[in-house]
Every structure is written in structure tokens, then in C-alpha cells.
Amino acid sequence: MPSLDDRYAQLVTALRAQADLTDVIQLLEWDQETVMPAGAIDRRARQIGALAALLHEGQTAPRFLALVDQLSADLPRLAPEQAVDVRETKWRVDRQRRLAPGLVRERSTLHAQARAVWVHARRHNDFATLAPWLKQVVEIERRVAAAIDSSRSAYDVLLEEYEPGTTAAALEQLFGVLRQGLAPLVGRLNARLAAGPLHTDALRGEFSIEAQRRFNRAVAERLGFDFNKGRLDEAEHPFTTCVGDDVRITTRYASNDMRYALYSTVHETGHALYEQGLDSEAWGTPRASACSFGIHESQSRLWENRVARSQAFWQQILPLAYDLFPSLRKQSLHGIVAAANEARPSLIRTEADEITYNLHIVLRFELERALLDGSLEVAALPQVWREKMREYLGIEPSTDRDGVLQDVHWAGGSIGYFPSYALGNLYAAQLVEAAEAEIGSIDALVAAGEFGVLLNWLRTHVHRWGQTFRPADLVRHATGRPPTPAPLLDYLEARLAFLESI
Ligand code: ZN
């Protein structure tokens, strides 16, 4: 029998072989979303399906499983870092080993096909074409959840894929507090809107795409994005992909409004900074993998909202912006900050302001949970969507394109993903509060262009831990208390008060 250290080394070797396959799949998916011609989709879906099956084969190979099980039995004798890798690998392996290779292939192929149908359906405002595919997705996700653990609700099982240790019941409670706390803020937003126009046009106008490309690249770089190990490209629905040491972000340009690209870019930069801050020595292992989707989202939201929508950020970035967009010189700083923080109930989640954003998530959480437990039919989605929008935000979309068709998640099989966005907001506010206690005012650092001080704090307290802690424990470790909505509600109240004052 090889020594414990030898067996741990075997585990790392196996995990790295799996990471190589994952990287190739990511690269194919990145290609599909950015530059692949539409006609290539069927064979591409097959390619991704084939690699996913190969990956699953490695992850479920009897020798690999035996190694994980043996190491798991020796957990108390392992060094703490080794124990993290074994614990998390065992957890993931136990989920995956319950899925038959045929089901994995079928699921992965279906997701790729449904994503492509979604692109078409969204463009043509054609929910009817997508509906049968969504139905298939819901059915296959139910089968997957039942195969992993039939004793728990399908939603809880799927949710853990994104936020280990969280349950629908816990979310219901947390989101309940958020909804209650947000209601008066939405009321103030509406009162403000009723009182007169918001004057948020300062970042609208004509901004050449070429100048925007340079601006966005410079902003990402200034925040700390390493272009030696990353790219910035364009995609319909901005996202971040990791291909080993190569972290790729995407954005979407609109020539008449520079906010689209800027805030997409900064959001994805936040994701990328997290990936670039993971422990590269431990690559391929859970210690060098992101903690959860919610923690990931906390990083993107923190840079996008707390940093890049602040007055301090604009003070710092304006000289560069003036160079590239001379027409901005006509605008006042307060006008620009107001434009960066345009807040009103709106239809599109990705364009929603910070205050109403979480209500978009509550809506999706409720719908996807109902889809899975069978209390809501796919065919009824557009109608129920409109009703809930009316109830939570007081508005409803006139087309499905601006309603149920706006997000790729469900078509792509990501059911249980949406809550991580609201959790991300919540974690971000709590992390900032803890960071400020140590490194002082974030606004002061941002105004001075010292983005690296904040980045270092995040690297020390969040990034470098990978999956050493589960999300709620990581938050407790970094901030001294479990996840709580108070810092987010306090922060949103303060930002709204500032907007009301300018
Ligand atoms: Zn994100």
C-alpha cells in the first residue's frame, strides 16, 4: 500500500487530468458564445457532450473512486490542506458517481442545444419555440436531482451545485428579510421618480466602440486584471471563462450608452480577479477552486457596484474618460454619478439598479423552485412572470424578450443558480464592512486609485482560501459573523440617501 502522501499525490495527479478536460470544454463553450458560426452548433454540442462524458468517465473510474474513498477514510491523518482537497473531492464525487454516463451525455448535449435555441428565441421574441426545450431541461434536471439524492427536494439538491450548504428554506428566510427591507427603498425610488425626471443621461450619447474598447481594457487593467493571463472579448451575454491560467472575460458594447459595456466589464473583471487570485500552486484541486457561485458573485458585484458606481471611482477615472470621450467634459461629476446609479423599477435583470436587483432574483427563485416541484408548468411561465413583476416592481414586460426570455440560465440548465446573485450582493456588503474596519474607507482608497489595497484584502481573506471553507464559513472567517442581510440593506440605504442628496 503506497504511503498516505503518495496516495494524496495520486489524487492531485488525477484531479489535474480532470482539470485539463474541464479547461478544454470551457474553451469550446467560450468559442460557441463568442465567435462560432451558428451553423456549427449541432456538431459542437456533440463535441462538448463527448468531452463531458470522458470527464465523467475519469471522475467515476473505479480506481479514482477507490482512491478518494481510501483517502477519505484517512481524513484525520491528513495535513489540513490535504484534508480540504479530499473532503471536497469526496463530496463532489459522491454527487457525480450517482449519475449514469448516458444521463451526463444527454444532459450536456441538451443544455448546449437549448442554449442555441434560446439565442434564436430571444432574438425573435418567440417563447413557444423555446418552451419544449425548457420542459426537457426541467425534466432532465429532476432526473439528475433524484439520481443524486431522492430523499431531498430536487431544488435543494440542485442548489448545492452552486451554493454548498444552502437550502431553499434558508433562502426563503433570507430573501424574506431582504424583501421587507427593500420595500421602503423601492417606495422612496418611486417617490423620487414621481417628483420629477432623474437627469441620468450623462453617460448616454455617441461613444465610439473603438474608444470604448480601449476604455474598458484600461479600466480592467487598472482594477488589477492581468492581461498576460487573460482576454477581454465580446459576447451577447457577458460571462467569464477560465481555461487553466487563461481567464477570459466578455462584454457587450452599445455605442449610445457607455454604461452597458463598462459595468459588464467591471462585473466580469471582479469574477476574473477572484480566479486570478486563487492559489496557483494548488491548481486543479478544490483549494484552488472558487468557493461557490455566491462568493464568486460577491466579487463581481463588489467591484461593479461598491467600487465602480461610486463618486470616488469616477473622480479617479475621469481624466482617462475625458481623453477617450471628449464630450464627457460637458457633464458634471454629480451628473455622471447619477447616471452610473440610475435607479428605477425596470424589466431587465442585468440592467437593474442595486436597489431593485434583488427583487428580480426573488422572482426567479420562486419560479424555478415551482417549475421543479411541478406546481408551475413551463407554458405558464410568461404569464406568471408578468404577474410577479407587477407585484414586486409595479411594472410588467410587454414582450417575453423583456420578460422570461431575457436570461440564458434556465435554457442552459442552470436551475438553482439565480439565488447566488442575491447572496453575492449580501456577501459583498458584509465583506466591504469588514475590509473597511481594517484598511479604512474604500472610497478614499478608490479616489486615490489604490485599488490594489482592496484587492489584496480580498486575496487574503477570500481568494486564497478556495474551497477551504464552505461559503457561509468563509464569510464568517472573513467578517467575524455568519451571512446577514443587514450590511447590504444599510449600504443600499446609504447609497440611496446619497443619490437623493445630489
Ligand atoms: Zn456575475
Side-chain angles (χ1 to χ4, degrees):
M1 185 88 148
S3 76
L4 203 51
D5 279 343
D6 285 347
R7 279 182 285 144
Y8 173 76
Q10 284 172 17
L11 176 71
V12 172
T13 301
L15 289 175
R16 288 184 171 173
Q18 293 167 15
D20 289 335
L21 277 175
T22 304
D23 289 343
V24 179
I25 292 172
Q26 304 267 60
L27 186 55
L28 286 177
E29 288 178 346
W30 175 86
D31 177 86
Q32 179 182 330
E33 301 292 331
T34 51
V35 291
M36 189 193 79
I41 182 58
D42 288 346
R43 293 282 293 275
R44 174 55 48 87
R46 277 184 59 97
Q47 293 153 4
I48 291 172
L51 285 171
L54 203 58
L55 175 61
H56 186 72
E57 211 175 285
Q59 288 166 335
T60 53
R63 269 186 59 190
F64 175 68
L65 296 179
L67 179 64
V68 174
D69 289 341
Q70 282 169 12
L71 281 165
S72 179
D74 282 325
L75 211 55
R77 295 203 293 129
L78 289 164
E81 297 83 2
Q82 297 175 336
V84 168
D85 289 336
V86 171
R87 182 195 74 207
E88 288 304 313
T89 305
K90 168 83 172 150
W91 181 78
R92 194 147 292 276
V93 151
D94 281 347
R95 283 174 75 88
Q96 281 163 347
R97 78 207 308 183
R98 296 173 185 134
L99 304 179
L103 179 59
V104 173
R105 193 162 45 241
E106 193 186 338
R107 183 194 198 195
S108 175
T109 305
L110 177 65
H111 291 170
Q113 288 169 324
R115 264 202 309 271
V117 174
W118 169 80
V119 171
H120 173 94
R122 179 171 180 246
R123 190 170 297 143
H124 300 282
N125 188 39
D126 179 12
F127 180 77
T129 302
L130 183 64
W133 291 91
L134 275 186
K135 214 171 152 214
Q136 281 189 63
V137 168
V138 170
E139 278 160 11
I140 209 162
E141 293 310 306
R142 275 199 206 117
R143 277 164 63 203
V144 164
I148 292 172
D149 186 353
S150 59
S151 74
R152 297 159 65 211
S153 82
Y155 192 78
D156 276 356
V157 174
L158 296 177
L159 179 62
E160 282 218 314
E161 195 70 28
Y162 307 97
E163 210 60 14
T166 303
T167 63
L171 289 180
E172 208 171 70
Q173 209 255 338
L174 208 54
F175 288 174
V177 175
L178 271 183
R179 257 185 80 182
Q180 206 175 9
L182 289 171
L185 301 189
V186 173
R188 273 162 66 183
L189 277 184
N190 282 326
R192 202 165 147 247
L193 285 165
L198 284 182
H199 303 297
T200 52
D201 285 340
L203 297 171
R204 278 190 241 271
E206 268 308 302
F207 301 98
S208 98
I209 305 263
E210 200 38 54
Q212 287 196 57
R213 285 197 184 104
R214 279 158 59 195
F215 182 63
N216 279 269
R217 188 184 160 93
V219 168
E221 197 156 32
R222 209 173 275 199
L223 297 180
F225 183 83
D226 180 359
F227 275 94
N228 187 42
K229 293 186 169 187
R231 292 182 56 90
L232 169 60
D233 294 277
E234 292 163 41
E236 168 108 2
H237 190 91
F239 64 98
T240 298
T241 291
C242 296
V243 186
D245 263 343
D246 164 7
V247 181
R248 302 186 175 199
I249 57 178
T250 54
T251 194
R252 181 174 59 168
Y253 294 101
S255 62
N256 62 353
D257 191 333
M258 64 181 285
R259 294 173 298 183
Y260 281 97
L262 175 62
Y263 289 107
S264 293
T265 300
V266 176
H267 180 95
E268 301 306 330
T269 297
H271 283 305
L273 292 175
Y274 185 21
E275 292 289 338
Q276 291 183 334
L278 291 165
D279 181 1
S280 58
E281 302 274 300
W283 77 269
T285 72
R287 274 182 298 132
S289 305
C291 175
S292 74
F293 283 67
I295 296 293
H296 230 306
E297 199 61 18
S298 76
Q299 301 306 290
S300 55
R301 296 258 136 196
L302 195 159
W303 290 99
E304 176 194 350
N305 291 330
R306 185 63 181 78
V307 173
R309 292 188 200 276
S310 66
Q311 178 162 303
F313 174 80
W314 280 100
Q315 279 166 335
Q316 161 59 213
I317 214 78
L318 265 183
L320 173 67
Y322 285 157
D323 279 352
L324 289 165
F325 314 110
S327 66
L328 272 186
R329 290 178 190 273
K330 295 192 303 250
Q331 308 295 344
S332 71
L333 177 61
H334 277 170
I336 288 173
V337 174
N341 290 278
E342 183 170 358
R344 68 176 85 229
S346 62
L347 298 173
I348 307 295
R349 174 186 63 86
T350 56
E351 294 161 19
D353 61 86
E354 293 180 87
I355 291 158
T356 57
Y357 187 91
N358 294 298
L359 296 169
H360 288 265
I361 299 307
V362 172
L363 175 152
R364 285 158 177 75
F365 164 64
E366 290 171 352
L367 293 189
E368 65 181 13
R369 203 178 164 196
L371 277 179
L372 268 193
D373 72 22
S375 59
L376 175 65
E377 292 292 330
V378 166
L381 265 181
Q383 181 56 31
V384 180
W385 186 286
R386 286 192 287 270
E387 287 165 10
K388 283 196 183 284
M389 281 296 290
R390 165 83 33 210
E391 185 187 344
Y392 298 162
L393 291 164
I395 52 174
E396 64 179 67
S398 57
T399 66
D400 292 334
R401 189 190 157 90
D402 290 339
V404 68
L405 284 175
Q406 66 184 270
D407 292 307
V408 70
H409 301 61
W410 291 339
S414 301
I415 297 176
Y417 186 136
F418 280 120
S420 55
Y421 292 118
L423 290 172
N425 289 332
L426 190 146
Y427 299 156
Q430 195 167 334
L431 289 170
V432 165
E433 200 182 74
E436 289 198 309
E438 242 178 89
I439 59 177
S441 157
I442 301 296
D443 279 344
L445 290 167
V446 168
E450 293 183 28
F451 301 105
V453 178
L454 174 59
L455 181 55
N456 279 339
W457 190 91
L458 293 168
R459 293 230 148 119
T460 305
H461 293 86
V462 180
H463 302 180
R464 77 180 178 93
W465 294 103
Q467 296 179 352
T468 302
F469 305 105
R470 288 279 167 104
D473 290 332
L474 179 63
V475 170
R476 190 182 290 113
H477 189 262
T479 71
R481 55 178 174 158
T484 161
L488 175 59
L489 289 169
D490 289 349
Y491 156 68
L492 291 175
E493 207 282 330
R495 181 141 296 180
L496 178 57
F498 173 72
L499 293 175
E500 286 166 340
S501 77
I502 63 175

